[in-house]
Amino acid sequence: MQIHEIIQALEQFAPPSLKESYDNIGLLTGDATWHCTGILISLDGTEEVVLEAKARGCNLVISHHPIIFGGLKKITGTNYVEKAVIASIKNDIALYAIHTNLDNVKEGVNGRIADLLELRNRQIILPKTGLLRKLISFVPVDKVDIVRNALFAAGAGHIGNYGECSFQAEGEGSFLAGEGSDPYTGQKGSRHYEKESRLELIFPSYLERGVISALKASHPYEEVAFDVVELQNQWDRVGSGIMGELGEEMEERQFLGRLKELFRVPVVRHTELRNKKIRRIAVCGGAGSFLVNRALQLKADIYITGDMKYHEFFDANGQMVIADVGHFETEQFTVDLLYDILAEKFPTFAVFKTGVLTNPVNYYI
């Protein structure tokens, strides 16, 4: 199996187009056509992880954080980034990163945290806009079901928790087939009128090529008339953070104790407690201070994230508890998530979780 086949499986789960603009995801070193000898999964693709991959006979390291984030002007081994790149190239080990695109899918990084907390009634805290498209085409009435089914198979027609969504309206189209044409119906040189259905379906932008291919392959006309319209609708399955509810409310201190246990941390930094019970919970793995105001708007009882700065704790304004359990700690379960995706897709292939603790933060207790 080649590396690009593994990448394809990951990108079906978290398409690259869902990443943030500042991010640097994808294959960072190596060749996608290499035969893959094994996969090692880590939160960070450090030199130690690369050397572990070599020892395990793996030539692909999949990490959540891109080891190359900014521009590299030299590679001399003077810092941890350059050392990792040198080790990967020297040992023919490919480095692949799946970062904010994995953050932004509902079943991704934050979905795994929500699983850990057993949250119900989940919703994206800050849904993305501008990622949905509407396809409009005109199909002979007797062929509309064939075309519609082909578009469903290509991934079109999903709205929220509903699949196979479409709109159909009847009308009449006209055309005049010219020289060199091969019309499905009608005669060359004569205007033809045809009963047609206007067919509309919504699809995510990253599926556009496949959806258009399915339309053209299933449509009977030699020249297929269609429009693709960009929508500004929010997409409730893609965006930042997850909000959900506990099955039963908990006392604040009891819940903080649960966080210490679940995230395996010696301490939880938090704002002043409100002496109210916890039920509505907002989470964002990694650095999540940018979602504080949105969590407040959604009336979260507690917001769990990492990398909160001193002054940002004031933003809770006594309206909710902010709990900072750490960047690494909130994202540590991403390794399990990636392992589960690949183990299900390639059940007989060598997939390993790193044994290297890449967290640069230590606690003196």
Side-chain angles (χ1 to χ4, degrees):
M1 180 165 57
Q2 294 182 330
I3 286 175
H4 71 83
E5 297 176 72
I6 297 158
I7 291 174
Q8 183 180 29
L10 291 172
E11 294 184 350
Q12 285 177 345
F13 185 88
S17 61
L18 303 185
K19 76 177 184 68
E20 299 296 336
S21 59
Y22 59 79
D23 203 4
N24 186 38
I25 63 168
L27 193 63
L28 305 180
T29 68
D31 189 328
T33 64
W34 285 350
H35 172 75
C36 188
T37 60
I39 305 167
L40 183 64
I41 303 171
S42 177
L43 197 64
D44 304 280
T46 62
E47 179 186 23
E48 291 79 10
V49 172
V50 172
L51 295 178
E52 180 191 7
K54 178 184 177 183
R56 288 179 177 266
C58 302
N59 68 344
L60 174 60
V61 170
I62 296 172
S63 68
H64 181 48
H65 297 139
I67 192 68
I68 304 173
F69 203 77
L72 279 177
K73 296 184 178 180
K74 59 183 179 180
I75 307 177
T76 60
T78 57
N79 58 48
Y80 79 101
V81 174
E82 294 172 14
K83 289 177 181 177
V85 172
I86 289 172
S88 69
I89 294 173
K90 183 178 179 180
N91 293 288
D92 288 336
I93 294 175
L95 299 179
Y96 176 85
I98 180 167
H99 191 210
T100 53
N101 50 326
L102 191 61
D103 290 328
N104 284 333
V105 292
K106 194 171 185 179
E107 300 80 10
V109 174
N110 297 304
R112 183 52 62 105
I113 299 172
D115 290 342
L116 186 74
L117 295 169
E118 300 180 331
L119 299 187
R120 305 176 180 181
N121 304 321
R122 300 177 191 179
Q123 66 180 95
I124 297 287
I125 294 177
L126 188 63
K128 295 286 186 185
T129 61
L131 293 175
L132 293 174
R133 303 289 183 267
K134 179 186 284 189
L135 173 68
I136 304 168
S137 188
F138 304 90
V139 188
V141 172
D142 62 333
K143 299 296 182 181
V144 69
D145 284 336
I146 294 174
V147 174
R148 185 185 357 242
N149 289 336
L151 294 173
F152 287 159
H158 287 276
I159 301 176
N161 294 322
Y162 294 85
E164 300 191 359
C165 302
S166 67
F167 174 79
Q168 177 180 342
E170 308 307 321
E172 185 175 73
S174 69
F175 61 84
L176 190 152
E179 290 299 321
S181 64
D182 183 19
Y184 164 71
T185 186
Q187 302 295 322
K188 290 182 182 180
S190 298
R191 182 189 301 164
H192 176 76
Y193 296 93
E194 182 74 20
K195 295 294 183 182
E196 294 178 333
S197 293
R198 175 188 172 107
L199 189 60
E200 300 183 16
L201 301 92
I202 290 175
F203 63 91
S205 58
Y206 63 84
L207 291 179
E208 183 168 336
R209 180 179 296 180
V211 168
I212 298 305
S213 294
L215 172 67
K216 292 181 176 179
S218 61
H219 202 293
Y221 286 176
E222 186 177 25
E223 298 289 345
V224 181
F226 67 93
D227 297 307
V228 175
V229 180
E230 180 178 335
L231 304 179
Q232 290 304 312
N233 304 48
Q234 288 186 338
W235 189 6
D236 63 359
R237 299 196 65 82
V238 173
S240 302
I242 290 280
M243 167 78 80
E245 297 177 348
L246 293 175
E248 295 182 5
E249 58 186 13
M250 296 178 65
E251 298 290 344
E252 290 171 323
R253 293 187 183 278
Q254 180 188 6
F255 186 75
L256 290 175
R258 186 182 177 200
L259 291 184
K260 283 185 64 176
E261 179 183 350
L262 291 176
F263 289 93
R264 302 189 288 270
V265 292
V267 63
V268 176
R269 300 167 65 225
H270 63 85
T271 54
E272 183 178 3
L273 301 182
R274 303 188 303 150
N275 296 316
K276 294 183 178 180
K277 292 189 175 182
I278 298 291
R279 178 180 283 271
R280 290 179 58 79
I281 297 173
V283 300
C284 180
S289 61
F290 69 102
L291 286 179
V292 168
N293 288 334
R294 181 60 180 159
L296 285 170
Q297 291 173 4
L298 294 176
K299 301 188 183 304
D301 297 316
I302 188 168
Y303 178 44
I304 305 161
T305 189
D307 289 356
M308 291 291 297
K309 296 179 180 178
Y310 172 83
H311 289 96
E312 292 169 339
F313 280 97
F314 285 105
D315 293 337
N317 199 28
Q319 298 177 52
M320 72 176 179
V321 177
I322 295 176
D324 184 338
V325 298
H327 192 125
F328 174 92
E329 289 78 6
T330 52
E331 293 187 332
Q332 61 184 299
F333 310 104
T334 305
V335 172
D336 298 324
L337 170 64
L338 291 169
Y339 179 88
D340 290 345
I341 294 169
L342 293 173
E344 180 180 358
K345 187 71 175 180
F346 310 107
T348 62
F349 197 71
V351 183
F352 303 98
K353 302 176 189 178
T354 184
V356 175
L357 179 63
T358 62
N359 188 3
V361 178
N362 289 269
Y363 298 94
Y364 181 78
I365 302 174

